Amino acid sequence: MRERPDFEEFAAGRARRLFQIAYLMCGDWYQAQDLVQTALGKMYAVWGRLRFEDGDAGLDAYARKVLLRTYLSHRRLRRSSELTVERVPDAPSDGAADGGAGRTELRLVLVEALAQLPPRNRAVVVLRYLEDHSVEAVAEMLGTSPAAVKSLTTRSLAKLRELLGDRDLFQWS
């Protein structure tokens, strides 16, 4: 029988799958991340005491159970903290008295424009400009050549300029 992995090895190997499960359960990217972190935190707290006869399969089943219970517990807590209001405000309040709405509008405009790009083009723009990876790093991630990344970048930026028109994207900064 194989020796049980240490916690870091277990978490690194299972986090992606746990995230997929959490996302399918809750339907929200950020909540899924929080659920996985909370579940792994709970497992870390008891890691030394965990014993399963069926090894990795038992650990995986336990992780899914902790994730599910975390999700259900979170749903109960979330439901009890919701506040009902008589009237929804006309404009969102993000804490910034001046320019906050402009930044929100800018994000929405950019997200909408990005969504209109094909998946590979969107990935190139996000990896190059939002994640700040080099052309070579993006090429390696996508399994393509640096020249292809440069070409995709050029076409993607041209399409974004076309979609955004002559909006001054820096007026809100």
Side-chain angles (χ1 to χ4, degrees):
M1 185 169 107
R2 186 165 108 58
E3 190 175 315
R4 182 181 72 173
D6 66 345
F7 179 77
E8 289 82 7
E9 181 183 326
F10 175 82
R14 304 314 193 287
R16 182 181 178 106
R17 183 63 188 146
L18 290 173
F19 174 80
Q20 292 169 340
I21 294 167
Y23 182 77
L24 291 173
M25 284 193 292
C26 69
D28 180 83
W29 184 274
Y30 300 106
Q31 183 184 1
Q33 289 176 328
D34 291 344
L35 291 170
V36 171
Q37 290 301 313
T38 302
L40 289 174
K42 289 177 179 181
M43 288 187 69
Y44 180 77
V46 298
W47 188 255
R49 297 181 303 214
L50 295 178
R51 303 281 183 258
F52 297 100
E53 291 180 14
D54 51 352
D56 286 350
L59 284 173
D60 290 338
Y62 182 75
R64 286 190 299 275
K65 183 190 299 187
V66 171
L67 181 65
L68 176 62
R69 289 182 178 174
T70 301
Y71 168 68
L72 294 174
S73 175
H74 178 75
R75 294 291 300 168
R76 282 190 297 272
L77 292 173
R78 186 173 176 183
R79 190 174 318 123
S80 66
S81 67
E82 292 177 350
L83 298 174
T84 56
V85 294
E86 184 176 324
R87 185 170 165 254
V88 177
D90 291 334
S93 172
D94 62 2
D98 61 318
R103 285 191 302 272
T104 301
E105 183 180 341
L106 172 61
R107 283 191 299 267
L108 292 173
V109 167
L110 290 174
V111 167
E112 184 179 311
L114 277 172
Q116 293 181 44
L117 295 176
R120 283 180 65 86
N121 296 58
R122 188 177 332 138
V124 167
V125 170
V126 169
L127 292 171
R128 287 280 292 126
Y129 297 102
L130 298 176
E131 291 291 314
D132 199 30
H133 291 288
S134 68
V135 171
E136 293 75 20
V138 173
E140 185 177 322
M141 285 182 236
L142 293 176
T144 190
S145 70
V149 170
K150 290 176 185 177
S151 177
L152 282 170
T153 300
T154 301
R155 286 194 304 257
S156 301
L157 292 177
K159 181 66 175 177
L160 285 174
R161 284 186 194 99
E162 176 187 318
L163 291 169
L164 296 171
D166 46 341
R167 297 177 200 219
D168 183 6
L169 295 180
F170 301 102
Q171 71 181 342
W172 296 302
S173 35

